[in-house]
Amino acid sequence: MTQPCPSGANLTEAEDFLNAHPEVEAVDIVLHDSNGIGRGKIIRRHELLALYKSGRHIPISILGLDICSEDVHETGLCWDHGDGDLRAWPIPGSLKLLHNTQPARAEVLLSMYELDGRPMGSDPRHAMQRQVDAFAARGLKPAGAFELEFFLLANERDAYGRVKPASDVLDGRAPTYRTDVYSVDHLQGMLPLFNDIYAGAKKAGINAETVISEFAPGQYELTLNYREDIMQAADDLVCLKRIVRQQARAHGVTACFMAKPIEEHPGSGMHFHVSVQNQAGRNIFAEEPGAGWTDTLLHALGGLRQTMVESMLVFAPHLNSWRRFANQSYAPVNTAWGVNNRSVALRVPEGDLKSRRIEHRPAGVDANPYLVGATVLAGILYGLDNKIDPGPQTKGNAYETEDRANIPRDWREAIDAAKASEFLKTALGADMHRTFTEVKAAEYARVARTISNVDFDLYLHTI
């Protein structure tokens, strides 16, 4: 039985795609959970039209899984509902070819809805959309882009069980263990892989742009084109991560999106660039020449500063995330803001006035971009609505400032702060807030009871 599609997807999109691509034999249908993990199924070609006509029944419990794919009963999404099904629907415009698949496959993103068509509250994509709608209610439209940092690692570990940079896929040349930041020649050895990443991005309609060799050995960054549709910016990020992971595997290396995989080198961030347009299409953060910062920019910064402490779990959601925060590691350690300054949490980049924006720097690449987007947008609105003063900008080295604004010291403190946060409950919605924080609490308990090799190294023969 055909019923109206609450996501706005159109059956014609699927029909046209199948007619244009008779070679496609299967389609990956992908729904993202609170950790940003893509979960779903691979359906056959003949099943695609039914997905667009009637959606697809999927167990509600997959949105209540932890990082190990175990049920977190405290989310209320498992046996409280008898592990029943809800209906997932395709996201308009997300049906794309997958590069380098044999036989040919495609991919489509999904979002979860109640059986009556209402958005399901524990779907991260709906959390971000709620904030986009809140901007629209004020006659405003956020725009932005995410940066993607990651490591390319060898599939095998070293003699001590540690990860190591991958050898060049071009000719197998051994990796360098020194910093080769911004080295153009260093990129040469990975060009076959990056060529496939760009080809995959093109098929997915993603405007992947500059690639650079980042600060740590084996670390790279891909920049993404700025999107006036900020939901598309988050979709770009989750799809590009999957493309990078797939193409790296095809070339015999591992793409790593941990925030801090190598202890002596900086970790990987997911910086979020965001601006806001009014109904006339003007960037409300852009100042007139020589006029100084706009109140809207300052109030947005103020809102982000004031809500950052209780939101840090969104930006650093895993135990490993907290290893990224260290002095002079290119990850922020306080809520400072500044201009053209990479030691702060909130950076206002130099550049064309029309492009004035905030670069939000706390999030690691392991964070869920939909939840990051929802939280940052809510922080901006909080600042605009309450006209919050951000205080003076930090000039020089923000790592030397003593005021950490009570940023949580570790993962456990971040979980407690997030659970108690009324702001975060409003930003994510009550259902998403409960799901996310309960998943994090369950993951913390799992890690806390695990006896690691570090325990044995420190204590086995010494106490």
Side-chain angles (χ1 to χ4, degrees):
M1 175 181 175
T2 302
Q3 67 180 79
C5 176
S7 70
N10 193 303
L11 179 62
T12 303
E13 178 184 349
E15 293 172 334
D16 291 346
F17 183 88
L18 292 176
N19 290 334
H21 300 288
E23 74 280 10
V24 168
E25 295 188 11
V27 181
D28 298 6
I29 60 174
V30 185
L31 174 74
H32 290 91
D33 68 8
S34 64
N35 276 315
I37 296 174
R39 303 189 185 274
K41 306 178 181 183
I42 300 178
I43 63 173
R44 306 308 297 170
R45 177 187 178 90
H46 68 271
E47 298 178 90
L48 183 64
L49 295 183
L51 174 69
Y52 278 75
K53 290 177 181 177
S54 305
R56 185 88 179 201
H57 284 105
I58 291 180
I60 186 177
S61 58
I62 73 168
L63 291 178
L65 300 177
D66 68 10
I67 198 72
C68 296
S69 300
E70 297 285 350
D71 289 334
V72 178
H73 299 286
E74 292 79 4
T75 63
L77 300 179
C78 303
W79 297 120
D80 289 13
H81 293 269
D83 197 20
D85 289 343
L86 292 183
R87 189 174 280 120
W89 291 88
I91 301 302
S94 68
L95 179 57
K96 304 291 183 180
L97 288 174
L98 288 174
H99 176 64
N100 207 16
T101 55
Q102 186 61 40
R105 298 202 326 274
E107 175 187 76
V108 65
L109 302 184
L110 304 179
S111 201
M112 188 78 91
Y113 291 81
E114 303 285 352
L115 296 179
D116 62 6
R118 290 177 295 117
M120 194 272 172
S122 293
D123 183 328
R125 204 173 187 281
H126 291 318
M128 186 172 176
Q129 185 62 55
R130 287 177 63 251
Q131 296 304 322
V132 174
D133 293 343
F135 272 81
R138 294 163 171 80
L140 300 172
K141 181 180 180 182
F146 291 90
E147 296 176 8
L148 181 66
E149 294 180 353
F150 57 95
F151 283 80
L152 294 176
L153 303 175
N155 292 338
E156 67 281 356
R157 308 280 184 89
D158 69 13
Y160 300 97
R162 297 173 301 195
V163 297
K164 58 184 181 180
S167 298
D168 288 353
V169 300
L170 179 67
D171 55 10
R173 183 181 298 181
T176 176
Y177 287 84
R178 68 177 185 274
T179 296
D180 251 342
V181 63
Y182 279 82
S183 169
V184 178
D185 289 341
H186 178 70
L187 297 173
Q188 179 70 25
M190 292 296 179
L191 278 184
L193 168 54
F194 280 108
N195 289 339
D196 273 331
I197 290 172
Y198 281 118
K202 183 177 181 180
K203 286 186 177 180
I206 298 171
N207 293 319
E209 296 184 333
T210 305
V211 60
I212 66 170
S213 175
E214 258 291 354
F215 197 85
Q219 188 184 34
Y220 302 86
E221 179 188 297
L222 277 169
T223 59
L224 289 164
N225 191 48
Y226 215 73
R227 293 284 197 177
E228 291 194 1
D229 179 353
I230 207 162
M231 287 296 301
Q232 185 63 59
D235 291 342
D236 285 351
L237 196 285
V238 295
C239 291
L240 187 59
K241 284 180 71 172
R242 191 159 188 253
I243 290 167
V244 171
R245 185 178 286 115
Q246 290 172 332
Q247 299 312 314
R249 188 173 185 180
H251 283 271
V253 300
T254 296
C256 174
F257 298 104
M258 291 172 63
K260 181 80 166 178
I262 302 176
E263 62 187 50
E264 63 268 27
H265 291 291
S268 293
M270 188 178 70
H271 304 157
F272 182 29
H273 295 252
V274 60
S275 59
V276 179
Q277 298 175 356
N278 61 18
Q279 290 179 319
R282 188 182 69 83
N283 181 358
I284 67 171
F285 291 165
E287 71 274 15
E288 295 296 327
W293 307 118
T294 62
D295 287 342
T296 48
L297 176 68
L298 293 174
H299 293 154
L301 289 165
L304 291 172
R305 288 198 73 193
Q306 194 165 117
T307 59
M308 188 180 298
V309 170
E310 58 202 291
S311 304
M312 281 301 296
L313 185 64
V314 171
F315 311 137
H318 308 290
L319 173 64
N320 180 258
S321 309
W322 291 86
R323 306 195 193 284
R324 174 172 162 259
F325 299 105
N327 282 344
Q328 301 181 43
S329 65
Y330 292 96
V333 296
N334 51 43
T335 67
W337 76 278
V339 180
N340 196 25
N341 186 339
R342 287 183 170 84
S343 68
V344 299
L346 302 168
R347 174 176 175 252
V348 180
E350 290 283 4
D352 183 18
L353 298 183
K354 294 180 180 179
S355 301
R356 185 66 69 218
R357 65 191 186 278
I358 296 170
E359 180 187 3
H360 186 274
R361 298 175 59 81
V365 74
D366 56 343
N368 183 331
Y370 297 114
L371 298 187
V372 171
T375 305
V376 170
L377 294 180
I380 290 173
L381 277 184
Y382 183 81
L384 295 179
D385 289 348
N386 295 284
K387 296 180 169 52
I388 297 175
D389 183 349
Q393 68 164 295
T394 295
K395 297 181 179 180
N397 189 353
Y399 295 118
E400 294 180 350
T401 61
E402 293 183 2
D403 180 17
R404 295 175 63 94
N406 297 317
I407 278 184
R409 292 173 296 178
D410 56 30
W411 192 29
R412 176 73 258 179
E413 281 195 9
I415 293 171
D416 291 341
K419 278 196 167 189
S421 172
E422 289 300 318
F423 163 77
L424 201 58
K425 186 179 294 185
T426 300
L428 303 182
D431 290 341
M432 187 72 252
H433 177 264
R434 181 189 64 252
T435 297
F436 177 64
T437 57
E438 292 296 350
V439 166
K440 294 297 110 182
E443 291 173 357
Y444 176 85
R446 177 189 294 275
V447 171
R449 67 175 178 261
T450 299
I451 301 173
S452 70
N453 286 334
V454 172
D455 290 75
F456 294 110
D457 289 342
L458 292 177
Y459 310 122
L460 180 61
H461 298 295
T462 57
I463 58 174

